């Protein structure tokens, strides 16, 4: 099986590089923007600080209705089963655990034999834990920002960490629980507390813990991008309203990263991107004009569906480029449509990344 998967991945990679306009395989992920509301106020997020001018904000909050209709969900899942039965369904934006049709839709996905995952801040995880278990969710991705007092300050909620821990502990105590992975965004507010954060997670049987260097786009990079690509893929500043990159202490961060990597943990611990030197940290945080990754693969593997049926490339951090609408075209037509084909081709011609892709998580 490993040899078969290796061959499949090689063929897909060749398809992406040499025939980007004509993909001969289906999407790996359908990312669902099931609602346009969040129940926390995260300092590093445009939604959390209500910065409504960014692509990220508009991708997550800009469509109506507020909640994706259950009829649309059923249509998406039915088409997924028909065209791409192995695709993964990701409930990712904005906060799936406050989506009113969550359980009904998960049960329908289970009836069709579709894989489902949820990305959540876990504030309501304990409340809906039994429902998630009954619905057969496969993976839960929990976003946390540090130990209790650090996380709660970043998220603007006095007990969000405690509630997330209660939910994870409860689910993992049940027979045959879904996999739970935790992801932490590195910011100026949690550097120096990351090792302690892992220690607090160590009693949990987690699938993995990932540290993500903060995703951001400063205005000067958006301007540079728009001078070249604004006519097709306009960029905006993103996730910069409250973050001050100069306040991230790079030397202490590097030292803490090394301590974490040199310790044994009861679960895999990953950093994204994998930065291998103090100079690399300097480049990542202070020189966003320098590309870190080599090419975006998400544009060739994922699409995001908004609550009104609009489809955009990859996920919420991508350009707000409409490539179709599920009320007007089917999933297969959109996946192979001219708008996304042009974007894939342009991306390849540009070398794999556009200037505003420089600090997007899909670049790594």
């Amino acid at each position: 099986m490993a040899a078969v998967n290796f061959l499949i991945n090689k063929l897909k990679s060749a398809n992406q590089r040499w025939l980007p306009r004509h993909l001969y395989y289906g999407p790996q992920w359908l990312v669902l923007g099931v609602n346009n509301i969040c129940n926390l106020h995260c300092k590093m997020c445009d939604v959390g600080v209500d910065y409504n001018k960014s692509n990220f904000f508009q991708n997550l909050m800009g469509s109506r209705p507020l909640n994706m209709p259950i009829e649309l969900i059923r249509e998406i899942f039915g088409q997924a089963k028909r065209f791409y039965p192995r695709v993964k369904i990701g409930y990712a934006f904005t906060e799936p655990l406050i989506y009113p049709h969550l359980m009904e839709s998960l049960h329908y996905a289970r009836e069709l034999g579709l894989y489902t995952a949820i990305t959540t801040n876990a504030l309501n995880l304990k409340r809906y834990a039994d429902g998630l278990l009954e619905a057969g969710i496969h993976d839960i991705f929990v976003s946390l920002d540090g130990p209790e007092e650090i996380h709660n300050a970043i998220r603007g909620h006095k007990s969000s960490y405690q509630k997330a821990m209660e939910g994870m502990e409860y689910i993992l105590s049940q027979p045959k629980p879904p996999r739970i992975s935790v992801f932490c965004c590195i910011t100026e507010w949690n550097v120096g507390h990351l090792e302690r954060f892992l220690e607090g997670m160590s009693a949990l049987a987690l699938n993995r813990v990932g540290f993500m260097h903060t995703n951001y786009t400063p205005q000067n990079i958006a301007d540079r991008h728009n001078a070249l690509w604004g006519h097709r893929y306009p960029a905006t500043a993103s996730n910069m309203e409250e973050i001050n990159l100069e306040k991230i202490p790079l030397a202490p961060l590097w030292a803490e990263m090394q301590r974490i990597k040199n310790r044994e943990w009861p679960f895999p611990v990953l950093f994204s991107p994998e930065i291998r030197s103090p100079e690399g940290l300097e480049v990542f945080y202070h020189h966003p004009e320098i590309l870190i990754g080599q090419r975006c693969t998400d544009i060739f593997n994922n699409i995001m569906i908004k609550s009104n049926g609009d489809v955009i490339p990859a996920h919420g951090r991508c350009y707000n480029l409409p490539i179709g609408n599920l009320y007007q075209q089917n999933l297969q037509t959109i996946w192979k449509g001219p708008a996304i084909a042009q974007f894939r081709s342009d991306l390849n011609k540009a070398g794999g990344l556009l200037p505003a892709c420089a600090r997007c998580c899909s670049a790594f």
Side-chain angles (χ1 to χ4, degrees):
M1 182 59 70
V4 171
N5 289 336
F6 177 79
L7 179 59
I8 290 173
N9 289 334
K10 282 290 186 182
L11 291 172
K12 287 174 66 175
S13 179
N15 189 176
Q16 294 166 16
R17 288 179 180 274
W18 304 111
L19 290 170
R21 288 179 173 270
H22 304 283
L23 298 189
Y24 294 97
Y25 61 88
Q28 180 180 357
W29 283 93
L30 300 180
V31 181
L32 303 183
V34 292
N35 56 12
N36 304 311
I37 187 171
C38 192
N39 51 2
L40 291 179
H41 302 282
C42 311
K43 291 182 178 182
M44 68 291 188
C45 173
D46 287 338
V47 173
V49 300
D50 199 31
Y51 179 69
N52 62 11
K53 297 178 181 179
S54 74
N55 281 340
F56 184 61
F57 183 99
Q58 290 301 320
N59 287 340
L60 270 61
M61 303 286 282
S63 62
R64 293 294 180 269
L66 188 67
N67 294 295
M68 183 178 285
I70 188 62
E71 296 80 12
L72 178 57
I73 285 264
R74 286 181 168 272
E75 182 64 26
I76 294 167
F77 289 3
Q79 291 190 27
K81 179 65 174 180
R82 176 184 174 190
F83 297 121
Y84 307 116
R86 294 186 179 180
V87 73
K88 297 179 179 180
I89 306 296
Y91 294 73
F93 302 116
T94 296
E95 174 43 52
L97 286 184
I98 55 176
Y99 175 54
H101 308 302
L102 177 60
M103 296 306 165
E104 181 181 353
S105 62
L106 284 173
H107 279 281
Y108 185 58
R110 186 175 189 177
E111 288 176 22
L112 297 178
L114 298 173
Y115 165 101
T116 52
I118 284 181
T119 300
T120 175
N121 59 38
L123 186 65
N124 291 331
L125 187 57
K126 176 67 181 299
R127 180 186 303 178
Y128 295 111
D130 289 327
L132 294 173
L133 291 164
E134 184 181 349
I137 191 82
H138 294 82
D139 274 289
I140 300 174
F141 305 126
V142 175
S143 176
L144 296 176
D145 296 316
E148 181 177 321
E149 74 284 2
I150 302 298
H151 172 86
N152 291 345
I154 293 173
R155 295 297 174 110
H157 191 290
K158 63 181 181 181
S159 58
S160 57
Y161 178 91
Q162 301 93 306
K163 289 181 177 295
M165 289 295 290
E166 288 173 4
M168 291 191 291
E169 288 168 354
Y170 177 78
I171 288 175
L172 291 172
S173 71
Q174 303 305 303
K176 298 182 179 179
R179 293 179 294 267
I180 296 182
S181 301
V182 171
F183 294 91
C184 176
C185 177
I186 297 173
T187 64
E188 63 199 79
W189 305 289
N190 60 19
V191 173
H193 306 279
L194 304 178
E195 190 174 12
R196 182 161 61 92
F197 169 67
L198 283 176
E199 291 168 351
M201 297 286 112
S202 292
L204 300 178
L206 297 174
N207 183 53
R208 56 179 166 158
V209 174
F211 289 105
M212 301 177 65
H213 293 284
T214 190
N215 296 171
Y216 67 96
T217 304
Q219 187 61 53
N220 67 310
I221 296 299
D223 292 342
R224 177 182 296 196
H225 170 99
N226 288 332
L228 298 170
W229 294 101
H231 61 296
R232 286 187 180 172
Y233 317 114
T236 65
S238 182
N239 299 327
M240 292 292 296
E241 284 300 285
E242 293 201 17
I243 284 178
N244 184 342
L245 299 173
E246 297 295 329
K247 289 187 176 181
I248 297 179
L250 298 187
L253 173 56
W254 176 255
E256 188 168 30
M257 289 167 58
Q258 300 318 297
R259 292 197 303 272
I260 287 171
K261 292 178 180 181
N262 289 329
R263 286 184 59 175
E264 293 290 331
W265 302 99
F267 35 67
V269 176
L270 310 172
F271 285 84
S272 178
E274 182 61 56
I275 296 175
R276 303 186 183 279
S277 69
E279 293 76 17
L281 275 185
E282 171 71 22
V283 168
F284 185 93
Y285 286 103
H286 295 162
H287 296 281
E289 73 280 3
I290 299 175
L291 300 177
I292 297 291
Q294 295 184 344
R295 61 194 304 267
C296 174
T297 57
D298 280 359
I299 181 62
F300 296 96
N301 290 295
N302 311 337
I303 52 177
M304 176 179 162
I305 305 168
K306 299 184 182 184
S307 66
N308 63 355
D310 281 346
V311 183
I312 63 170
H315 55 70
R317 296 196 184 277
C318 202
Y319 304 99
N320 193 8
L321 172 70
I323 60 172
N325 183 286
L326 263 299
Y327 288 113
Q328 300 167 12
Q329 301 100 15
N330 68 34
L331 195 58
Q332 190 176 54
T333 300
I334 293 171
W335 175 248
K336 297 183 177 182
I340 195 169
Q342 180 69 55
F343 187 23
R344 291 167 180 151
S345 178
D346 286 341
L347 203 62
N348 273 10
K349 290 177 183 177
L353 296 170
L354 305 183
C357 303
R359 296 300 178 266
C360 174
C361 53
S362 296
F364 313 135

